[in-house]
Amino acid sequence: MLPLKENEIRLLVFNADSSTAADYSLIHVSLDHPPKFYALSYAWADESLFPSSETPTRHHIRLDGNDTLVGPNLSAALEAWRTNEYSCIPPWVDFLCIDQLNISERNHQVLRMYSIYDKAAMVTVWLGPDTHDSGLAFDFMRTFAREAEDVQWIRRTILEHTYSREWHAVDHLLHRNWWRRVWIIQEMVAATEIDFVCGGQTVQRNIVLEFFSSLISRDATYRRLLLREEGILLSGDAITLANIYLRSNAWEKRNLLQTIYTTGRSSATDNRDKVYGVLGLAYDAGKLIGTPNYSLSIEEVYKRFAVSWVREYATLEFLSLSGLPVFPRSPSLCLPTWTPDFNHRKISSLNSKIRPATPTNAAQDYKADATFSNDLETLTARGICFDIIDGVGYSTWGAENGLANYQMQQSKSQAMAYTSAVDTIEALSRTLIGDSIIKRKPYTGQDTLSAFMRCYQACIKNKGGDSADIKDNSATNFGTWYEHHRDFNIGGNSLHDWVTSVSSECHFSDEVETTEERYIHKLAISHGPNRRLLTTSKGYFGLGVNTCMPGDLVCVLYGCSTPVLLRRVEDHYTFLGEAYLHGIMNGEAIGSLQRGELNEKSFIIR
């Protein structure tokens, strides 16, 4: 390819007069004053459409007189474009318009991606050929968005299988790779006009967006029902991501850590793009990363980002994304335990400096006091060891994944950090969901306690043979959790003893509201298979990673807004993950330090 001049890009031109159907040329244009052009957004590979198990068909096009091999999905997209009414408008296609063999050009073109999609007159989303009733899926999107305000309509139509075929069509559509590609996020955010093309059908952005918005607002209602009645578990990653990036002018530029987190459920063929692919969305990318460097390994990209973050902001907020459970570790990478692995985000962080959440400020305004070894393998950070894990609850994830210590391990401590039975169970109910808010304002911790106790009462009724008060088998889900933990030792008494004491002491209405559904939904996400209940030697409740054990340390490191769990290993510590400890999320540990009740120390973490 001819080299690009400053701020030039290449566009693809279809040679209509050629005797070869797929014959194209490249032209150079200035991005400062480009002609009208479209930009193509697509997935290079898609197992749902072109399974790798099948014998691949080799797809070639003629590009500037040379045979060029392209992927099957891109080949289908180009064929659809050639037969479309706007085939006379040149498109920008990343694989063909960037010299893939020129690393220096790739590094610089990555920084222009946002501008390219911003300058395009139209961004055409190619979802792939028309298969698995994809046209029916688009029609149902309109219907669901129109009717979703009626919760009973959702329940009734799923129970009666009214739209069984349509739900399956939507499921197939959302399993296409495009929805989860990391690059599409800035492509969609930058775009002014967007059309979705699937086979021969074209649908506008607003229809797709309204559907996803409706799904998210009714998630607690439809998800379990749909799984039970149709065997369908819609892709939460696709829905969450699309609701973020399809809103016109809704994206507010975040810092790069927040951006990587927000886009964390996306996927990338090259995991360096989990950082490089979102640079156009962050206001501080230039300071933290500069020009992408594809000669670096994935490990080097992630470690250098963390070091740049500390040097720029003097915080350790990235530790909330390290270890488990927010970004699980990839076994193929060799990273220090303090370094985030941005491959794929599984669940939400507890850190309100990274995501909108109940405010967390464990370290108050203490700046990070941290250094790195020259080989970037060791982080030395100052902070406080606040407490020690004394007991851990049952780990659903551990039971399913062969974890040796998945069973409940009883606390030996008799200490209690909370003053009464009601305070204790309120602390527990808030801990189990990371103190998430389960209803619109006004909201208090008593709302969470009330929801927890009504779930318990419905569970007891079910056990007695009465009909469930909580819809969609939610009482059963809560009951499973409760049975695993009813004998859990809390200050010398079992959980069941504490709960029955509160039940007899206070009155909680039997009336079931959506807050109970929301509470159990959040319990399944925040605790469930992702984190486990813990108690400490001082009598606090907490949530920790599934692999935590009695003896692990609950620490507050300067510059990190959530407590973290560390494990002593000979002369250093390994980092386990962020934690929730009810009663120290907003600087209480720092207060103890200032009163002389705790001492600070340095933690060598590898």
Side-chain angles (χ1 to χ4, degrees):
M1 288 185 179
L2 292 174
L4 293 169
K5 297 178 182 177
E6 184 176 355
N7 216 28
E8 270 192 342
I9 62 170
R10 302 181 185 93
L11 297 177
L12 195 66
V13 177
F14 173 46
N15 298 326
D17 297 333
S18 172
S19 58
T20 303
D23 192 351
Y24 304 89
S25 299
L26 291 171
I27 60 171
H28 289 214
V29 302
S30 170
L31 196 55
D32 294 326
H33 304 286
K36 182 178 180 179
F37 73 96
Y38 287 178
L40 181 67
S41 181
Y42 69 104
W44 174 257
D46 196 325
E47 280 290 311
S48 68
L49 297 173
F50 307 100
S52 57
S53 58
E54 296 181 1
T55 304
T57 301
R58 297 177 70 83
H59 297 267
H60 292 84
I61 64 169
R62 293 282 291 173
L63 184 63
D64 285 340
N66 301 309
D67 277 341
T68 302
L69 185 66
V70 298
N73 199 37
L74 177 55
S75 176
L78 293 174
E79 182 178 352
W81 175 68
R82 287 198 309 272
T83 58
N84 198 289
E85 60 184 16
Y86 48 70
S87 62
C88 58
I89 300 172
W92 184 87
V93 183
D94 58 356
F95 180 74
L96 300 175
C97 296
I98 297 175
D99 188 347
Q100 300 298 319
L101 300 178
N102 187 331
I103 297 297
S104 177
E105 181 176 310
R106 281 181 63 194
N107 291 343
H108 285 86
Q109 286 290 298
V110 163
L111 292 177
R112 292 180 180 169
M113 297 281 274
Y114 189 95
S115 294
I116 291 170
Y117 282 85
D118 179 51
K119 295 287 183 70
M122 171 76 76
V123 173
T124 301
V125 174
W126 172 252
L127 292 176
D130 183 4
T131 60
H132 299 108
D133 288 332
S134 53
L136 198 63
F138 283 131
D139 291 338
F140 180 63
M141 286 182 178
R142 298 181 179 91
T143 301
F144 188 86
R146 185 177 62 251
E147 302 288 349
E149 285 297 315
D150 184 352
V151 174
Q152 295 306 320
W153 178 88
I154 297 174
R155 290 194 177 108
R156 185 181 67 257
T157 56
I158 294 177
L159 288 170
E160 296 176 356
H161 303 273
T162 309
Y163 295 103
S164 178
R165 185 180 169 193
E166 285 84 351
W167 279 115
H168 282 276
V170 168
D171 184 39
H172 281 293
L173 189 68
L174 295 188
H175 276 89
R176 300 193 182 197
N177 282 5
W178 181 87
W179 301 103
R180 291 175 294 278
R181 281 183 61 239
V182 67
W183 283 106
I184 67 165
I185 301 171
Q186 73 169 355
E187 294 169 6
M188 297 297 99
V189 170
T192 303
E193 298 291 336
I194 302 171
D195 271 354
F196 287 83
V197 180
C198 187
Q201 187 169 5
T202 299
V203 176
Q204 284 68 46
R205 167 180 29 198
N206 66 300
I207 293 170
V208 179
L209 177 59
E210 287 173 7
F211 173 68
F212 284 130
S213 298
S214 300
L215 281 181
I216 288 175
S217 67
R218 293 289 177 257
D219 186 79
T221 301
Y222 81 83
R223 182 172 289 273
R224 288 190 179 89
L225 263 184
L226 199 59
L227 179 60
R228 188 185 73 195
E229 297 296 321
E230 299 287 357
I232 292 173
L233 184 62
L234 293 183
S235 173
D237 292 353
I239 295 167
T240 302
L241 284 167
N243 195 55
I244 293 170
Y245 57 64
L246 288 181
R247 293 183 178 277
S248 180
N249 301 317
W251 181 275
E252 294 182 5
K253 284 206 172 183
R254 302 158 166 85
N255 65 48
L256 187 54
L257 182 64
Q258 294 167 334
T259 301
I260 293 171
Y261 171 84
T262 304
T263 60
R265 293 184 183 272
S266 62
S267 61
T269 305
D270 182 339
N271 278 336
R272 290 170 293 193
D273 289 335
K274 295 307 294 288
V275 176
Y276 294 160
V278 298
L279 295 181
L281 299 172
Y283 60 73
D284 56 356
K287 293 185 294 184
L288 294 172
I289 301 296
T291 302
N293 185 351
Y294 282 93
S295 66
L296 297 176
S297 67
I298 298 171
E299 291 91 337
E300 285 298 309
V301 171
Y302 292 174
K303 287 190 290 186
R304 290 187 182 202
F305 163 75
V307 172
S308 296
W309 179 267
V310 175
R311 289 174 179 168
E312 181 65 30
Y313 294 114
T315 80
L316 294 174
E317 304 295 8
F318 68 85
L319 288 177
S320 288
L321 308 185
S322 304
L324 295 170
V326 182
F327 279 92
R329 316 292 279 185
S330 304
S332 60
L333 295 185
C334 186
L335 286 167
T337 60
W338 55 264
T339 308
D341 177 359
F342 294 126
N343 174 41
H344 184 77
R345 178 164 69 84
K346 183 178 181 184
I347 63 169
S348 298
S349 170
L350 301 168
N351 192 326
S352 64
K353 302 296 192 302
I354 296 175
R355 61 175 284 263
T358 303
T360 56
N361 193 19
Q364 287 192 341
D365 57 353
Y366 277 51
K367 295 292 186 182
D369 185 354
T371 58
F372 298 90
S373 60
N374 290 334
D375 60 2
L376 302 186
E377 291 297 313
T378 302
L379 164 66
T380 302
R382 291 189 69 75
I384 307 162
C385 177
F386 179 80
D387 210 343
I388 301 172
I389 295 178
D390 191 50
V392 292
Y394 180 88
S395 170
T396 305
W397 178 89
E400 294 172 351
N401 290 273
L403 186 69
N405 66 334
Y406 72 89
Q407 294 284 8
M408 181 172 64
Q409 298 183 58
Q410 293 286 18
S411 172
K412 298 179 176 61
S413 173
Q414 302 295 307
M416 283 299 302
Y418 315 107
T419 57
S420 68
V422 172
D423 288 343
T424 298
I425 298 305
E426 180 186 323
L428 173 66
S429 67
R430 292 169 66 179
T431 296
L432 291 175
I433 60 172
D435 208 19
S436 299
I437 295 173
I438 59 170
K439 62 180 285 189
R440 293 182 176 87
K441 296 179 180 179
Y443 168 80
T444 69
Q446 285 287 317
D447 295 316
T448 307
L449 171 63
S450 179
F452 176 92
M453 291 304 299
R454 286 201 294 266
C455 290
Y456 163 74
Q457 290 168 349
C459 174
I460 295 301
K461 283 187 177 182
N462 274 356
K463 202 167 183 180
D466 294 340
S467 61
D469 279 341
I470 299 178
K471 301 175 180 66
D472 306 339
N473 265 347
S474 292
T476 303
N477 297 325
F478 182 87
T480 300
W481 174 87
Y482 191 82
E483 284 303 308
H484 281 311
H485 293 88
R486 62 176 291 139
D487 296 325
F488 193 56
N489 179 43
I490 302 170
N493 295 306
S494 71
L495 167 64
H496 187 65
D497 290 339
W498 285 102
V499 173
T500 53
S501 173
V502 172
S503 182
S504 62
E505 181 179 336
C506 305
H507 174 70
F508 299 96
S509 170
D510 286 341
E511 182 183 352
V512 176
E513 303 173 1
T514 56
T515 49
E516 281 71 74
E517 291 182 337
R518 214 170 285 131
Y519 182 84
I520 293 173
H521 181 60
K522 288 182 178 291
L523 173 64
I525 295 171
S526 298
H527 181 268
N530 302 311
R531 296 183 174 98
R532 71 194 306 182
L533 178 66
L534 62 87
T535 56
T536 69
S537 59
K538 294 180 181 178
Y540 287 87
F541 288 125
L543 283 181
V545 300
N546 278 291
T547 54
C548 69
M549 300 185 299
D552 292 335
L553 306 183
V554 182
C555 300
V556 173
L557 300 183
Y558 300 154
C560 185
S561 295
T562 59
V564 299
L565 300 183
L566 300 178
R567 179 174 295 164
R568 182 85 187 208
V569 181
E570 297 178 348
D571 62 344
H572 67 279
Y573 296 89
T574 58
F575 186 87
L576 301 181
E578 68 171 5
Y580 178 90
L581 204 67
H582 192 78
I584 72 160
M585 299 303 291
N586 285 286
E588 293 85 350
I590 297 297
S592 296
L593 173 72
Q594 294 169 341
R595 292 190 296 271
E597 299 165 3
L598 296 171
N599 298 314
E600 68 175 17
K601 64 174 294 182
S602 292
F603 298 89
I604 300 171
I605 307 171
R606 295 175 184 158

